[in-house]
Amino acid sequence: MRELFARKGLTVLAAILVIFAVGLVGFYMFSADYGDGLEVAMDDADVEESEPVYTGPLDYGDNYLSSLLMGIIGFFIVLSSGYLLARLLRKNDS
Amino acid sequence: MHIPDGLMAPAVAALGWLIALVFLALTIKLLNKKLDNRQITLMSVLAAGIFVAQMLNFPIGGGTTGHLIGAALATVILGPFAGIMIITVILIIQALVFGDGGLTALGLNILNMGIIGCLTAWYVYRLFPLKSKAAGVFVAAWASVFIAALACTAELAVSFSISGGTHGISGAIAFPAMLVSHSIIGIGEAMITAGVVAYLAKISPGMLRLPKITLSTDNREAAVDA
């Protein structure tokens, strides 16, 4: 994990999060009220989404600040999970 | 394009899991042999970046939105099998932590967005000669979304057909709705992917010359013309 938190790595991580924070403004201005391609196809066919068999402990939030927070939490969960998994795969080889 | 629980027929969802697990076993075997330390760091940063990018839906008109899948971006930078693992990690966290995409449909989501998305991107990208790799990135990204959507639509139609209409969506509705919207979403994916790759080629060309994790050992054809 050391290389991720070296100076250059930190700059990259910060840049991604800044782009996300700015992009999220556009999301709430133009897209938040609409469904994606599959959801619209389900609407067209009058298909109701059934109850999920599992509900995650978090959601993506319903306003700018909560979505920003959830995005940052998710970012670090994916970052650490991806790193640990890749390390594990590499370690198995050696 | 995250398929929720209950939308697909159980047999289709089970088949999705089966195919996904076979490909993931192959992916793990390949990564186990070929990953190096630079790729490990890049894989985790790319996965995290694609995760937040997937939260940023963009409007495509008609009250519909789309978002980056990221399969082509991951594939162009690290090859198809690292790409499959990156998208799989994202989909698992989205399903387990954020409840985005059903657990029963996770195999199909991995199959469509991860496996089909990355392999389509890779084989389309390889069609382009070295001096046309920038165009190759654009076309590969568009194709990865369109073919993944085509697979998802076929699964919806088969689910509808074998369940007598209790699951899935009729092909007559699903094919036009999904393919028209995703042909436009694919343009957004292509623009973002081509933009990011062009930027990386400018600021960090070495990143694009990292070995790609493929079935073969010769990766020279994959280098992006920076």
Side-chain angles (χ1 to χ4, degrees):
Chain A
M1 202 88 323
R2 201 175 38 194
E3 54 276 69
L4 277 175
F5 294 102
R7 195 168 180 176
K8 192 177 175 188
L10 279 178
T11 308
V12 172
L13 299 184
I16 293 171
L17 288 175
V18 168
I19 293 167
F20 170 64
V22 173
L24 203 54
V25 176
F27 168 76
Y28 273 103
M29 284 173 74
F30 301 112
S31 305
D33 296 334
Y34 303 114
D36 68 12
L38 178 58
E39 288 164 344
V40 171
M42 288 169 68
D43 283 347
D44 289 350
D46 286 328
V47 174
E48 295 276 328
E49 201 169 316
S50 57
E51 279 297 304
V53 297
Y54 165 83
T55 309
L58 302 176
D59 58 40
Y60 291 135
D62 54 8
N63 59 55
Y64 179 81
L65 282 179
S66 61
S67 294
L68 183 64
L69 179 65
M70 291 304 148
I72 293 169
I73 291 170
F75 179 87
F76 283 106
I77 293 173
V78 174
L79 184 76
S80 49
S81 306
Y83 188 84
L84 291 174
L85 177 67
R87 272 269 166 230
L88 194 66
L89 289 171
R90 176 81 181 136
K91 203 171 181 180
N92 285 343
D93 187 39
S94 59
Chain B
M1 210 187 345
H2 291 64
I3 301 165
D5 285 320
L7 178 59
M8 297 293 185
V12 174
L15 187 62
W17 265 111
L18 183 67
I19 298 170
L21 289 174
V22 168
F23 268 92
L24 287 177
L26 173 67
T27 300
I28 287 168
K29 197 174 172 189
L30 280 168
L31 293 179
N32 198 252
K33 283 183 184 163
K34 299 188 177 185
L35 263 186
D36 71 28
N37 288 335
R38 291 169 306 168
Q39 291 165 324
I40 289 172
T41 308
L42 194 50
M43 267 180 76
S44 50
V45 174
L46 259 177
I50 291 170
F51 170 84
V52 290
Q54 286 195 1
M55 287 179 67
L56 302 175
N57 285 38
F58 49 84
I60 61 162
T64 308
T65 65
H67 62 73
L68 185 87
I69 293 178
L73 181 62
T75 296
V76 166
I77 295 174
L78 284 167
F81 291 97
I84 289 170
M85 188 51 72
I86 286 169
I87 302 299
T88 299
V89 167
I90 294 168
L91 289 169
I92 290 171
I93 298 218
Q94 286 172 333
L96 290 181
V97 180
F98 295 95
D100 186 15
L103 269 193
T104 57
L106 183 56
L108 285 172
N109 284 325
I110 291 170
L111 174 64
N112 296 339
M113 288 184 272
I115 297 163
I116 294 175
C118 291
L119 291 179
T120 300
W122 179 246
Y123 286 107
V124 171
Y125 179 62
R126 277 185 51 166
L127 292 175
F128 285 77
L130 200 57
K131 62 181 178 186
S132 306
K133 284 297 183 196
V137 172
F138 191 93
V139 177
W142 182 87
S144 71
V145 172
F146 188 79
I147 301 297
L150 183 64
C152 180
T153 311
E155 291 151 11
L156 287 167
V158 170
S159 291
F160 186 85
S161 180
I162 64 173
S163 69
T166 56
H167 294 281
I169 298 174
S170 157
I173 296 173
F175 276 101
M178 286 287 285
L179 298 187
V180 169
S181 62
H182 284 88
S183 64
I184 302 168
I185 292 167
I187 295 172
E189 175 102 10
M191 289 167 65
I192 295 167
T193 306
V196 171
V197 171
Y199 182 67
L200 290 176
K202 204 169 184 179
I203 63 154
S204 183
M207 188 187 290
L208 298 173
R209 295 200 189 98
L210 283 174
K212 311 289 185 269
I213 299 169
T214 67
L215 287 172
S216 78
T217 51
D218 181 6
N219 304 309
R220 280 171 296 182
E221 82 244 318
V224 169
D225 186 14

